[in-house]
């Protein structure tokens, strides 16, 4: 059995296996806090799952139909972002999120988040 110690801050890959990996986002303002929010991520050939381990976090999605969804994460619930969906995650201080995703993220792109979407996300997150 392997055991991994989770760091308190930043992005940490815990385990790689075949084509997938487990990682953790620990709050770090310039990595996953509100101040760092500028781009949507899109995985063009894979899904991505998030689980809130502790603290508070919000997952935002911009659908192809133009809808903006900002979802507060609840502890130990799995949130799945489907292939091709624009998404971004924001963590509050002292928060951690487990991530399951493709090991190879080369087929991913970033796209700027509009100032209007940023404002709506900030309001929904209470910042």
């Amino acid at each position: 059995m392997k055991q991994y110690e989770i760091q308190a801050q930043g992005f940490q890959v815990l385990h790689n296996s075949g084509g997938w990996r487990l990682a953790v986002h620990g709050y770090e303002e310039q990595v996953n806090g509100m101040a760092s929010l500028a781009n949507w991520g899109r995985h063009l050939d894979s899904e991505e799952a998030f689980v809130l381990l502790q603290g508070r976090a919000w997952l935002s999605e911009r659908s192809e139909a133009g809808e903006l969804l900002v979802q507060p994460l609840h502890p130990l619930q799995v949130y799945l972002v489907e292939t091709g969906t624009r998404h971004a995650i924001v963590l509050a201080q002292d928060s951690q999120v487990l991530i399951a995703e493709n090991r190879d993220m080369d087929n991913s792109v970033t796209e700027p988040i509009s100032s209007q979407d940023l404002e709506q996300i900030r309001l929904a997150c209470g910042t």
Side-chain angles (χ1 to χ4, degrees):
M1 175 188 317
K2 290 185 179 181
Q3 185 173 340
Y4 300 92
E5 185 172 331
I6 296 174
Q7 298 172 3
Q9 293 184 325
F11 182 79
Q12 172 191 8
V13 174
L14 298 174
H15 183 76
N16 288 307
S17 180
W20 62 275
R21 69 181 178 190
L22 286 178
V24 172
H25 257 311
Y27 171 80
E28 188 171 1
E29 184 60 32
Q30 299 307 315
V31 175
N32 50 39
M34 185 58 74
S36 69
L37 189 60
N39 294 301
W40 295 115
R42 278 182 78 199
H43 308 301
L44 302 178
D45 61 3
S46 66
E47 299 170 321
E48 185 173 16
F50 297 89
V51 178
L52 179 63
L53 299 176
Q54 70 179 38
R56 295 179 305 136
W58 298 264
L59 185 60
S60 301
E61 292 185 354
R62 169 59 78 186
S63 74
E64 289 299 323
E67 297 176 85
L68 176 66
L69 171 67
V70 182
Q71 173 74 46
L73 302 186
H74 299 283
L76 306 179
Q77 298 289 312
V78 178
Y79 296 86
L80 182 69
V81 175
E82 295 187 31
T83 302
T85 302
R86 290 168 183 84
H87 65 284
I89 191 159
V90 174
L91 276 61
Q93 192 169 356
D94 298 322
S95 298
Q96 292 181 324
V97 175
L98 181 70
I99 302 166
E101 62 187 359
N102 271 12
R103 184 175 183 175
D104 178 4
M105 300 302 284
D106 286 344
N107 202 12
S108 298
V109 297
T110 59
E111 301 170 0
I113 298 175
S114 72
S115 58
Q116 181 181 6
D117 281 354
L118 280 172
E119 184 58 28
Q120 288 181 358
I121 293 168
R122 280 189 183 97
L123 290 171
C125 296
T127 60

